[in-house]
Amino acid sequence: MEGELAVIMRQFNRRIGTVEPELQERIRQLSLAQLEDLAEALLDFSNVQDLIA
């Protein structure tokens, strides 16, 4: 799970820029299934508002 989280955070940083610490903490609290869904969804993200939504 830590590896999945690390990859997702790197993808976010590359796709939308630095993620605020409070959002990073919310992401860390997701289950593995939720992280997998987020990893797929982030391919369509263009800004941090997409992450928040």
Side-chain angles (χ1 to χ4, degrees), residues 33-49:
Q34 290 172 316
L35 284 174
E36 290 171 347
D37 290 343
L38 183 59
E40 187 174 325
L42 78 84
L43 297 173
D44 297 323
F45 290 1
S46 59
N47 59 51
V48 73
Q49 293 304 317

Side-chain angles (χ1 to χ4, degrees), residues 4 10 15-16 22 36 39 42 47:
E4 181 90 14
R10 285 197 311 267
R15 183 95 176 150
I16 62 174
E22 61 191 34
E36 290 171 347
L42 78 84
N47 59 51

